[in-house]
Amino acid sequence: VDHREPEALTALLSKHPDINVESVSLPLADIAVEDSDGNLLLIERKRCDASSGKTDFEVSIQDDGRLFDQSERLKMAVGASDKQIIPIIMIEGDVYANSTTMLCQQIDGAVSFLSAIQRVSVLNTYNLNHSAYLIAKLASHFDGGLYAPVSLHKAKPKAMFEQQRYILEALPGVSSKAAELLLEKFGTIRNVMSASKEQLLSVKGIGPKKVAALDELLNG
């Protein structure tokens, strides 16, 4: 998290047991999430809270134009890196209700430019608490995929169930969730391997393509 961001944001993120937060001077974006492979999720946060003057979002467009400079630099970083970089603009607060100097059409134009021209995702949050929650959710999905915990192939499993799931995850098309469902249905790896096509198809998330791939692997 960039050192200029509020301490409250760092404090909220630090409450998550699986998140390590560092306050640093970031050359790009306000929040940078790095996965184990060095890929980056870069988040530029713009406040749109109710106040007597312009919002941070308006100032960054009308006064110094830094928002479009920042989005251009994010776009360039994506093209210049040999790692995966996902750029996001996070608008915190009601940008339409709290903007004092920009029309709805102007706001839409700015968001459209960021999304369609700069190819930067634009996400909206209600407040700082919501921003912290969404950042944590983005970090979880970015580093570990859809399901939690992350793939067991990143760590040696200990419990018997986890060891069984670990082995099944190595099969073609079998996700962590699918491995759990297979074990819940059949109980053991041996039973999974000896199950008929009809029995496998009865498991939610296991379709004909996955069954065909498993059959080819086991019997091909």
Side-chain angles (χ1 to χ4, degrees), residues 7-196:
E7 292 183 4
L9 178 62
T10 301
L12 286 167
L13 291 172
S14 297
K15 288 182 179 180
H16 196 292
D18 296 327
I19 293 179
N20 296 317
V21 183
E22 292 183 72
S23 181
V24 298
S25 178
L26 289 174
L28 189 60
D30 296 316
I31 298 100
V33 179
E34 184 174 0
D35 70 7
S36 55
D37 296 321
N39 301 310
L40 289 173
L41 182 69
L42 298 178
I43 304 170
E44 182 67 39
R45 172 175 161 269
K46 294 300 176 198
R47 291 178 296 99
C48 292
D49 49 349
S51 63
S52 57
K54 290 183 177 181
T55 64
D56 180 37
F57 179 79
E58 290 174 288
V59 170
S60 69
I61 293 175
Q62 295 178 327
D63 292 12
D64 53 26
R66 71 180 186 278
L67 176 57
F68 299 127
D69 175 66
Q70 289 164 333
S71 66
E72 179 65 24
R73 290 169 61 204
L74 287 170
K75 180 181 176 182
M76 291 175 63
V78 172
S81 177
D82 59 351
K83 298 290 187 178
Q84 182 186 31
I85 296 181
I86 300 177
I88 293 173
I89 301 292
M90 181 173 287
I91 301 177
E92 183 181 294
D94 192 333
V95 64
Y96 295 102
N98 296 331
S99 293
T100 59
T101 60
M102 291 182 67
L103 299 174
C104 174
Q105 295 90 331
Q106 293 173 307
I107 296 171
D108 287 343
V111 172
S112 176
F113 174 80
L114 293 169
S115 302
I117 305 299
Q118 301 292 66
R119 305 298 175 91
V120 177
S121 296
V122 180
L123 304 179
N124 189 235
T125 62
Y126 290 111
N127 49 41
L128 186 67
N129 283 3
H130 188 198
S131 293
Y133 172 82
L134 185 55
I135 291 167
K137 180 65 70 175
L138 287 165
S140 174
H141 282 167
F142 180 64
D143 185 59
L146 182 58
Y147 298 105
V150 299
S151 173
L152 292 174
H153 287 276
K154 295 182 179 179
K156 184 178 180 181
K158 297 180 180 179
M160 178 60 69
F161 181 82
E162 292 179 340
Q163 290 178 352
Q164 292 172 323
R165 182 174 63 179
Y166 177 85
I167 293 173
L168 289 178
E169 282 180 5
L171 297 175
V174 178
S175 65
S176 177
K177 185 64 176 180
E180 290 181 5
L181 294 173
L182 285 168
L183 287 171
E184 289 174 2
K185 173 75 174 181
F186 299 107
T188 66
I189 295 175
R190 184 185 298 275
N191 290 340
V192 173
M193 297 303 186
S194 61
S196 66

